Amino acid sequence: MKGIPQLTNNWGAMINLLDAVLVNGFNHVTILGLTKANTASITATINLGSDHGFIDRQVVRIAGSTNGWNGDYKILSADASSITIECTAEHPSVISGTATCFTAPLDFEIVHQTPLGSTEPKRAYRSKDPEALGLILLVHDFCVSDASTTGAKFAKVALVENMTDINVITGNQMPADPNNFGWDGIYHGRAKWYYRTSVNAQAADSATPSTGNSDFCITGNTKHFAYTAITPSLTSGGMLEFEDVRYGGKNAALVAQGINLNIAQNQSVYLQARSAFNLAIFPDTQPLYGGYNTKIALFYDEDGVYAAESAGKAIVLKTLNGNMNNAINTSGAPLLIPMPILTSADAVVGSLPFFKFGSFVNNTILVTDVGKVATFQHNQTENIYSKFAMTLEVE
């Protein structure tokens, strides 16, 4: 999508992306004109000029209208200079005011933040959706003093109940580790959203990444979101709400590397060890491989009470030879399966929004039906797999 901030090899890149996707939107383009075929038409064509960059199925927001066009609209089609959107018969046949069109944000708010331009950027995001749980996503995206500034880039994250300012957490937080945002000489934070790492198949966080941007997918709605950074290593994260089958109410999941198994800054690990969905047969006592537990923390326990417990193992598809290969071979589109969330005792809690298991024929990273489904698979060694999909338009 044109104008979306990139995940670069610079600290602060994740916060720049989240500001745009969650709060501000991006790709603001002045509307040159708007027409409807007739007054009763339920579609409208917006003239934006050349190189507007909007694409089919994208949701755009109109602002600055003085005659009732402000709001969100889905693009039905796009050409080089205009877009056609879905509207209602009640919308006027023209647009008045100095109106702009831009990619609609997910409508989160920033409840606390460091000043813009700070060398230690922090954000506290919260959904404005009245049906959301109302938890705050706290993000620190900078290198703590004495840690490796030139190494892997990642945001350190937590879910918290409340804050009085950007530096003071009140109420419960997840993870509760006091070093979640710090540096103790061995570990640089705990719950991490990686976005730039070394290109080597096996490397430490202190290893210098290559220059350039990471390919990524990000998806969400007004309650929650998830991301996957594809290059140079396949990493993922998310702040997600789901229906907890144990008590029939909402629960929150924080998907982040370090939840079950943290990586020391100078510890060399395989690329998949930084993935939240590393599907390996190696236990968590072998951090080189990333372990077989999903990197997910759950805010509430089986009684709907705060507990900040770690989720359990991932479900793995295995063939008879012991390798985690395709249990279902299909030459067509991958079969997408809801990704169950298990407790450490292997009890089903619910399923994770946006992320899916998939049956893939080849070891690949690809987008199928662009904008709807992205599928990912890595296998650097025989028994280490990151294998999942993201549904980009629906949970």
Side-chain angles (χ1 to χ4, degrees):
M1 290 182 173
K2 183 180 179 180
I4 190 168
Q6 296 298 299
L7 293 177
T8 67
N9 189 28
N10 298 308
W11 294 99
M14 179 64 77
I15 275 181
N16 289 340
L17 176 63
L18 296 181
D19 279 356
V21 171
L22 300 182
V23 182
N24 301 321
F26 54 92
N27 194 28
H28 293 249
V29 180
T30 300
I31 294 176
L32 303 179
L34 180 149
T35 58
K36 294 176 68 175
N38 54 66
T39 55
S41 178
I42 58 172
T43 63
T45 298
I46 302 176
N47 180 15
L48 298 168
S50 61
D51 196 32
H52 57 77
F54 296 113
I55 61 176
D56 293 359
R57 300 195 307 271
Q58 187 174 355
V59 176
V60 293
R61 179 167 297 177
I62 294 176
S65 163
T66 57
N67 65 332
W69 273 101
N70 289 349
D72 291 355
Y73 303 89
K74 188 171 186 177
I75 297 177
L76 301 177
S77 63
D79 61 27
S81 60
S82 66
I83 59 174
T84 298
I85 61 170
E86 187 176 24
C87 61
T88 68
E90 287 71 34
H91 280 97
S93 297
V94 296
I95 190 168
S96 301
T98 306
T100 59
C101 178
F102 57 96
T103 304
L106 300 184
D107 280 338
F108 280 57
E109 62 180 339
I110 297 176
V111 290
H112 300 290
Q113 64 179 318
T114 49
L116 295 178
S118 170
T119 57
E120 296 187 350
K122 304 175 186 178
R123 294 289 190 277
Y125 302 99
R126 181 171 57 199
S127 168
K128 295 192 290 186
D129 191 321
E131 295 185 359
L133 285 170
L135 297 175
I136 292 172
L137 172 67
L138 180 57
V139 182
H140 289 197
D141 192 1
F142 59 92
C143 185
V144 177
S145 178
D146 295 328
S148 177
T149 303
T150 59
K153 306 303 185 295
F154 48 82
K156 291 152 284 188
V157 296
L159 290 183
V160 303
E161 287 182 322
N162 214 338
M163 304 179 71
T164 56
D165 61 50
I166 192 61
N167 294 310
V168 180
I169 298 172
T170 58
N172 295 308
Q173 58 180 298
M174 179 179 77
D177 189 333
N179 190 46
N180 189 52
F181 294 106
W183 163 249
D184 63 4
I186 299 175
Y187 297 99
H188 186 184
R190 180 178 172 187
K192 301 191 249 315
W193 288 353
Y194 284 90
Y195 53 87
R196 199 71 190 158
T197 63
S198 170
V199 297
N200 296 325
Q202 187 176 332
D205 280 1
S206 56
T208 303
S210 60
T211 58
N213 301 332
S214 292
D215 295 335
F216 66 90
C217 291
I218 188 165
T219 183
N221 56 31
T222 57
K223 297 185 183 71
H224 48 194
F225 67 95
Y227 88 95
T228 293
I230 305 168
T231 54
S233 61
L234 185 58
T235 63
S236 50
M239 168 196 181
L240 299 168
E241 296 186 6
F242 66 96
E243 190 76 9
D244 194 313
V245 299
R246 297 174 297 179
Y247 57 87
K250 289 184 180 179
N251 202 343
L254 180 64
V255 180
Q257 214 299 322
I259 293 295
N260 278 300
L261 177 68
N262 204 356
I263 299 172
Q265 180 177 262
N266 293 320
Q267 183 173 19
S268 183
V269 297
Y270 282 107
L271 291 178
Q272 292 90 339
R274 297 180 179 89
S275 173
F277 307 117
N278 184 42
L279 311 183
I281 64 172
F282 298 103
D284 285 350
T285 54
Q286 297 189 41
L288 172 65
Y289 305 105
Y292 49 52
N293 279 338
T294 54
K295 311 306 184 283
I296 302 172
L298 308 176
F299 205 80
Y300 301 118
D301 64 12
E302 68 274 8
D303 298 315
V305 177
Y306 167 79
E309 59 181 339
S310 296
K313 293 186 286 292
I315 293 177
V316 175
L317 302 178
K318 295 184 67 176
T319 55
L320 294 176
N321 64 6
N323 293 337
M324 281 164 282
N325 212 327
N326 299 301
I328 304 172
N329 267 326
T330 172
S331 59
L335 177 65
L336 301 181
I337 307 167
M339 185 176 288
I341 306 171
L342 304 179
T343 67
S344 56
D346 294 335
V348 175
V349 176
S351 59
L352 205 60
F354 301 117
F355 291 114
K356 301 289 186 291
F357 282 127
S359 57
F360 316 136
V361 176
N362 299 311
N363 303 325
T364 185
I365 299 172
L366 57 94
V367 177
T368 56
D369 198 357
V370 176
K372 290 186 177 182
V373 177
T375 60
F376 313 98
Q377 181 172 341
H378 266 183
N379 70 326
Q380 291 295 126
T381 64
E382 181 175 305
N383 293 314
I384 310 172
Y385 281 73
S386 293
K387 182 176 177 180
F388 63 94
M390 287 183 72
T391 48
L392 303 178
E393 286 192 315
V394 295
E395 292 186 14

